[in-house]
Amino acid sequence: MTAPVVTQSANEGKGEKVAMTAPVVTQEGASGGYWMQFIMPSKWTIDTLPEPVDENVKLKEIPERYVASLFFSGRTNENVVEKMEKKLLDSLKEDGLEVETGCKPVLARYNDPFTPGFFRTNEIWVQINQPDKYKT
């Protein structure tokens, strides 16, 4: 992606760069801003990730969950994202799948900002209840 995230190593007292990974997930926040989620490389766990230098960066482990997604390419804007969210949610309803209570769709982007629009890869994700065929 664009630039590494600099974190603080507790043992060394100096910053450590963690390479950016894809996707970068964004969602509109409750108070009108946006939050971003960076998926960390698989070599890290929540216990081994260095502490972030910026106090606004929070580490959070996200448990396994069921997520429905819709792939699309091109540049994103509010209208495109809303259209794709509606398309995904309508498809879920048609298939009898339910969105997890309190969950909203998020935008996952797989390319850096310098990638031409026609090469960009994006997805809309939304957490869903466990489908019946996976229940034991």
Side-chain angles (χ1 to χ4, degrees), residues 64-133:
E64 289 185 15
R65 62 206 191 277
Y66 289 90
V67 176
S69 68
L70 176 67
F71 167 86
F72 65 101
S73 58
R75 292 195 178 275
T76 60
N77 62 43
E78 192 173 315
N79 292 335
V80 169
V81 171
E82 284 179 12
K83 178 181 169 186
M84 294 301 164
E85 286 176 355
K86 182 179 180 340
K87 186 174 180 179
L88 175 59
L89 295 173
D90 288 348
S91 293
L92 292 174
K93 190 176 282 189
E94 286 177 21
D95 292 340
L97 297 169
E98 297 176 353
V99 173
E100 183 78 28
T101 302
C103 293
K104 294 182 178 182
V106 297
L107 172 62
R109 301 177 210 213
Y110 288 84
N111 305 99
D112 64 56
F114 305 107
T115 300
F118 52 89
F119 285 131
R120 292 188 184 196
T121 301
N122 310 290
E123 292 176 328
I124 298 294
W125 295 351
V126 70
Q127 188 172 336
I128 60 172
N129 293 326
Q130 182 177 2
D132 289 338
K133 70 180 187 177

